[in-house]
Amino acid sequence: MSGIAGIYYLNNQPVCSENLVRVSDRLAHRGPDGTNIWTEDSIGFIHRMLWTTPESLLETQPEIDRTGNFVLTADLRIDNRSELIEKLSLNDRPVEKITDTQLILAAYKQWGDRCPNYLLGDFAFAIWDKRQQHLFCARDRFGVKPFYYHHRAGQHFCFASEIKGVLSFPAVPHQINEARIADYLYPMLEDPKATAYEEIFRLPAAHALTVRRDGALKFHSYWSLTLGEELQLGSDREYAEAFRSLFAEAVNCRLRSAFPVGSHLSGGLDSSAVTCMARELLSQSSATPLHTFSNVFDEVPECDERSFIQAVLSGGGIV
């Protein structure tokens, strides 16, 4: 849960570092492990670091490539690292020394605005392309990582991980979007871009956005959930094994951590299944136990799931 933010002045106004510091301070809770600000003429990026994966300990964001032509600020976890490293032919250093930010920059240089098509994981990022003088932004397929923005034609484009970050930029209106509030209370025609504030929008999941020097915004959806060919297996047992394999892969992606892993165990089927799978995978790779966190409510006995929580804990390997 790192924090990102930035501004691009479309009228060539130079970036004021004091304004970026103010925005960074508003996002401080998202990144206790370091903060950096990068500016160049009319573009500026902010990053608040929260270390999560082993590779994130090696990152310094905003990330600037060796040529100085590309700059990235990102909140991310890339899951298909091995696949990307092979496709991008990144053989000049040990795999464990390749950060997720370096993978995204390499992917952008290789595939341009099609790079999100090749990424699996949770991410929200912005890349300044100095050669083309445009800003490229993208959000992961299910919108796990947040990305909010404000655009004033011919003047500026700013973005942040949270709405209050966007509101911290000067000239961003603090006008409540009454239609969105009404839709929240009685959902009918929910707009995936709309927020509770006028002129502040969210980048929809599985979408990318290019902000051009002339101020034009170009959106495109790079992925959608579609029904493929039906999986045909020989028995219920084979279907169960196929599901278990995919489920284990999905959980294992989220165990890549620089620190002890924790799981929220509510007692429901979903969190219990994730917790049991995480416990099994951790037991295969290390002796590190899985930490779990549960909410219980003595004053609401009809919601008490402690018996289900205890059934998971009784399997051992959990603290």
Side-chain angles (χ1 to χ4, degrees), residues 53-67:
T53 66
E55 295 79 15
S56 69
L57 302 178
L58 305 175
E59 290 180 355
T60 299
Q61 291 198 54
E63 176 98 20
I64 306 171
D65 90 313
R66 295 174 182 175
T67 68

Side-chain angles (χ1 to χ4, degrees), residues 296-308:
V296 294
F297 306 95
D298 292 330
E299 66 277 14
V300 191
E302 61 268 26
C303 296
D304 190 352
E305 295 190 325
R306 271 174 280 201
S307 61
F308 304 114

Side-chain angles (χ1 to χ4, degrees), residues 16 46-47 56 59 120 127 132 146 151 156 170 174-175 190 195 205 227 230 241 245 247 286 296-297 310 314:
C16 174
I46 295 163
H47 190 268
S56 69
E59 290 180 355
L120 294 179
I127 296 175
Q132 301 189 64
H151 174 234
H156 56 255
H174 292 218
Q175 181 66 41
E190 184 173 354
T195 73
L227 295 178
E230 184 177 353
E241 290 175 351
S245 177
F247 183 56
S286 70
V296 294
F297 306 95
Q310 190 57 46
S314 64

Side-chain angles (χ1 to χ4, degrees), residues 118-295:
Y118 298 88
L119 305 177
L120 294 179
D122 301 337
F123 56 82
F125 65 82
I127 296 175
W128 170 241
D129 187 330
K130 185 176 180 179
R131 300 175 311 170
Q132 301 189 64
Q133 292 288 294
H134 71 216
L135 184 66
F136 177 74
C137 313
R139 193 175 177 205
D140 62 76
R141 300 183 183 198
F142 291 99
V144 175
K145 298 294 187 180
F147 189 100
Y148 297 93
Y149 68 91
H150 163 74
H151 174 234
R152 185 66 57 83
Q155 296 185 38
H156 56 255
F157 175 92
C158 57
F159 66 90
S161 296
E162 298 182 16
I163 289 178
K164 61 184 172 185
V166 178
L167 289 170
S168 298
F169 284 104
V172 175
H174 292 218
Q175 181 66 41
I176 295 296
N177 182 351
E178 295 183 358
R180 178 67 186 94
I181 299 299
D183 190 59
Y184 175 79
L185 296 173
Y186 188 74
M188 292 183 64
L189 300 172
E190 184 173 354
D191 181 350
K193 291 184 180 179
T195 73
Y197 287 86
E198 296 279 2
E199 297 189 51
I200 296 179
F201 304 93
R202 80 185 85 211
L203 183 62
H207 275 68
L209 162 65
T210 301
V211 186
R212 297 173 176 169
R213 167 58 77 178
D214 61 9
L217 302 187
K218 177 187 175 184
F219 293 89
H220 78 269
S221 172
Y222 63 85
W223 178 85
S224 61
L225 184 62
T226 57
L227 295 178
E229 295 182 6
E230 184 177 353
L231 181 66
Q232 296 287 346
L233 298 176
S235 66
D236 288 347
R237 184 181 185 85
E238 289 183 16
Y239 282 113
E241 290 175 351
F243 171 79
R244 192 180 192 283
S245 177
L246 289 173
F247 183 56
E249 182 180 356
V251 173
N252 194 49
C253 286
R254 290 153 179 83
L255 295 180
R256 189 174 121 244
S257 175
F259 307 101
V261 178
S263 174
H264 182 248
L265 176 60
S266 69
L269 181 61
D270 49 358
S271 70
S272 297
V274 169
T275 298
C276 290
M277 178 58 73
R279 173 177 58 193
E280 179 180 334
L281 293 171
L282 284 174
S283 68
Q284 296 171 2
S285 60
S286 70
T288 303
L290 177 67
H291 296 260
T292 61
F293 306 87
S294 302
N295 301 88

Side-chain angles (χ1 to χ4, degrees), residues 6 36-37 192:
N36 283 295
I37 292 174

Side-chain angles (χ1 to χ4, degrees), residues 12-24:
N12 296 318
Q13 177 182 334
V15 172
C16 174
S17 295
E18 292 182 0
N19 291 337
L20 296 188
V21 170
R22 184 182 307 113
V23 177
S24 179

